[in-house]
Amino acid sequence: MTKQSLKRSDLHRKFVEKDATAEFWHNSPSNTLPPPDMLSPYSRNKPLKTEDIENRKAHIIGAGIAGLAAAFYLIRDGHMPAENIFIFTSEDVEGGSLDGAGNVQEGYIVRGGREMNWNYDNLWDMFQDVPAVELPTGFSVLDEYRLLNDHDSNYSKARLLHKNGQIKDFSNFGLSKRHQWELISLLLKRKEELDDITVESYFSSSFLETNFWTFWRTMFAFQNWHSVLEMKLYMHRFLDAIDGLNDMSALVFPKYNQYETFVEPLTKMLKEQGVNFIRNQRICDLEIQDNTDAKTITGLITATGEVLAVDECDLVFALTGSMTEGTAYGDMDTVPELQRTQGYPGTNSDWVLWKNLAEKSTVFGNPNTFVGDTSRSMWESATLTCHHSPLVDKLISLSVNDPFSGKTATGGICTITDSNWLMSCTINRQPHFRNQPDDVLVVWVYALLMDKQGNKVHKTMPECTGKEILEELCHHLGLEDQFELIAENTKVRTALMPYITAEFMPRAKGDRPRIVPEGFTNLGLVGQFVETNNDVVFTMESSVRTARVAVYSLLNLSKVVPDISPTQYDVRNMLKGARALNNGKPFIGERLLHRLLDKTYYAHILPPLPEPEESKLESLEAEIKQLPAKLSVMYRSVSDQVHRLRDKIINKK
């Protein structure tokens, strides 16, 4: 490839991976494309075949959702014959982190679950074309998802618990004006200002004690020492969902576990189309031909040193890092034995490929940023297989519907705020597994703080057996005196994951590689540890996005991958978000907006005022009286910023 053609390829990759924050978009004769974050039926265009696509092959390293998505888009949009696609996995089952296994005799297990959002645009773009699990032929996974969630609303009546299982008030965020300003300031900051900054170093210590932070950290699994840049990206991505953060009403959940809902139907479709799956084969390195003008992958190097040849016109898609690599498992009587501790996890891990690539070139980023300290990226989950007991009765009382009805149960996690481990538990729709008996409940438990001793069991969670974790949960639910009966009717399987939140570690520009590394002609990197323009990590959506960008870029398809949904720019979301951050109360100036807009076409964009009609005028007058003082503070703040800017300009001169 010549320098000129490589430059064209780099320009095409910018065409594919849109960045809505890069510039002001407007209609003009030179702009033939829709806005960079628009997704609509207009985006369903099918690109033409790439020349000679029938004779090209694709080698995909990793059979998680990113690898499976790469195969999907190669076939649907890239027109590559399915039999020319080879997916390698070091495991003996597909799905990567999206697991779900077990039976009623041994106990079920899921390492984690999926809290989904309606604007996961790439995920739903794919699953609208994947055949349904249970509906008749012609229906899709998306059709099943909508049919379920459109008729069964999700919400929680017990988001926070304390004092032996009592429901704690979770009606508002508990944010002071200072805390609100800290959050707004974070939204306003440019991304490049937040390199290597942690949440706890950015926010005041009192912010970390608020309901908002409890909701946030337990829902998304953030720690105080994690990246505030990633928190900012999350706030933009989910701004439309902020008002449903406390009661979980912004979420949509699958009918079954993540493996049976997503992985099984997608894998089944790909296999039926002819995609080749190679299990128990770890790819440890890539053979790179480095020409003056471009770099090309020419071979895959296995754990035994064998080189699998790659033609220069073939494509390689590689997973960098793994959140669930090195998971240690335990059960009712066994403590999980962690093999991965501090430092590099070793040559027999799923991090070895990224490490070896990073040693060859800085374009591959720095895996040590994410993988070096497991004490800061680890948490543990436990899956409870429950026959009837007082525990089941207690959890039913915390659910919005009877879990045995198949409808929404707890609506998401119930967090125990006075737990030293910061423990949470949830019942998803039941049955959670298709082979689950009708009289059995599957309950998922997890905790964030791995270095604290329990309140009842004086051990850290990683030091505990499944039975001891169950005992700690029963203590917090006020069931301590019935524990033995509960234990007789419950099986516990645990999963201790040393890298589960490694993707949240503080990072700087260059720590993560771009999806198509600079100068490479046939390599795409996918998963949770690659750089996207504005998307977040720890979601299925981001994995699918990286795969889609990689496929379109390497095949030079005339089709774009839109940036994240533009809901953050919708004034309605801004207004209801401001109300939510103000603990559900009208923010300063909101009543004045109502006075201006209530009798106009735009009245509906404002959240309804809480007071009755007859007292609205009185409340407005009180608000207007406060405005001069508030505006004075704002004026001083803006004035200070203008003076600082002036001083900067003078100093530069």
Side-chain angles (χ1 to χ4, degrees), residues 484-502:
E484 291 303 328
L485 176 60
I486 292 169
E488 289 173 9
N489 289 280
T490 309
K491 291 184 175 68
V492 182
R493 296 178 66 179
T494 61
L496 180 59
M497 297 163 280
Y499 308 113
I500 188 61
T501 53

Side-chain angles (χ1 to χ4, degrees), residues 32 50 79 97 107 139 147 227 233 310 399 450 489 555 601 612 622 653:
T32 62
T50 303
H79 306 286
S97 297
F139 289 92
L147 185 65
S227 167
L233 295 175
V310 175
S399 300
M450 297 291 98
N489 289 280
L555 287 180
Y601 175 81
K653 288 182 178 179

